[in-house]
Amino acid sequence: MSVHEHPHRSTGFHLPSLRGNRAATASESAVSPDTGTHTVRSYALASLRLLTGFVFLWAFLDKTFGLGYATPSGKGWIDGGSPTKGFLGSVAVGPMESTFHSWAGDPWANWLFMLGLLGIGLALVLGVALRFAAAAGTAMMTLMWVAEWPPARHISDGSLSMSTNPFADYHVVYAVALIVLAATAAGDTLGAGRLWARLPIVRDHGWLR
């Protein structure tokens, strides 16, 4: 009589489990880079947001209190100085030259400019109302770009404008950065963007996001 032995099946190791572990490991390794990339992107955008916000806030503080950098001590807004008179009054090129001269130093121009710097700066630092900040900031950068008019090779008196680029100057870069920050919800990381988005008025009015 012959005896047919059946293969012994060990309960200690299961090849399918090993394959499953390998598959799980491969799946985790496939997901991890995406997760890591998303995290790096979020923190990079948050850093850009905070730095850009500080640029606007610093301009507001320096022009308000005359901190001795771009605005000399004793020439700040609180000392009776004008935040717009020097810049707009010195415009020497472009299609709005005379218009900017007429605006220079006007109280409405001072208040609008300073409130814009403060509002955009606070919105960026806090990570809230980024769409509104992007719209206001882009409008401000556009006006400042027109005031400097980079396309011109010569200013009104015929001397060289010293423009370094006929289009892409720092005003354009700031405007694009503001739009990118708003489009990517950069306030959700290192900011109050998520809390802001939960407010009923923000949910009902998407432009406040």
Side-chain angles (χ1 to χ4, degrees):
M1 182 177 66
S2 62
V3 178
H4 299 280
E5 296 184 10
H6 296 282
H8 179 69
R9 296 181 180 177
S10 171
T11 59
F13 296 95
H14 299 281
L15 291 180
S17 296
L18 291 175
R19 287 195 295 270
N21 289 340
R22 285 197 295 269
T25 302
S27 177
E28 290 172 0
S29 64
V31 172
S32 296
D34 291 339
T35 302
T37 300
H38 177 74
T39 301
V40 171
R41 185 189 306 118
S42 297
Y43 279 98
L45 288 169
S47 299
L48 175 62
R49 190 195 85 237
L50 291 170
L51 287 171
T52 306
F54 182 69
V55 169
F56 282 87
L57 274 184
W58 178 260
F60 170 81
L61 294 172
D62 184 61
K63 293 179 182 299
T64 299
F65 300 105
L67 300 180
Y69 288 85
T71 306
S73 179
K75 299 292 185 179
W77 196 23
I78 62 171
D79 300 309
S82 171
T84 62
K85 188 174 183 178
F87 177 68
L88 294 181
S90 63
V91 172
V93 68
M96 294 183 64
E97 180 180 351
S98 59
T99 301
F100 286 132
H101 288 172
S102 67
W103 291 355
D106 279 357
W108 70 266
N110 291 336
W111 276 98
L112 192 60
F113 178 59
M114 295 300 282
L115 288 177
L117 290 177
L118 178 61
I120 296 168
L122 286 177
L124 291 172
V125 170
L126 296 176
V128 301
L130 295 185
R131 293 180 182 177
F132 184 79
T138 298
M140 180 184 290
M141 292 298 105
T142 299
L143 286 172
M144 295 179 73
W145 185 88
V146 173
E148 295 193 4
W149 201 245
R153 295 182 180 180
H154 300 85
I155 60 177
S156 299
D157 64 4
S159 59
L160 291 175
S161 67
M162 303 303 291
S163 175
T164 58
N165 190 297
F167 173 72
D169 75 341
Y170 67 98
H171 298 107
V172 176
V173 174
Y174 277 131
V176 172
L178 289 170
I179 294 171
V180 169
L181 293 173
T184 57
D188 292 354
T189 302
L190 300 179
R194 296 183 189 278
L195 294 175
W196 177 260
R198 296 192 189 107
L199 296 177
I201 189 173
V202 178
R203 289 200 304 265
D204 295 339
H205 302 85
W207 60 273
L208 290 174
R209 177 70 173 82

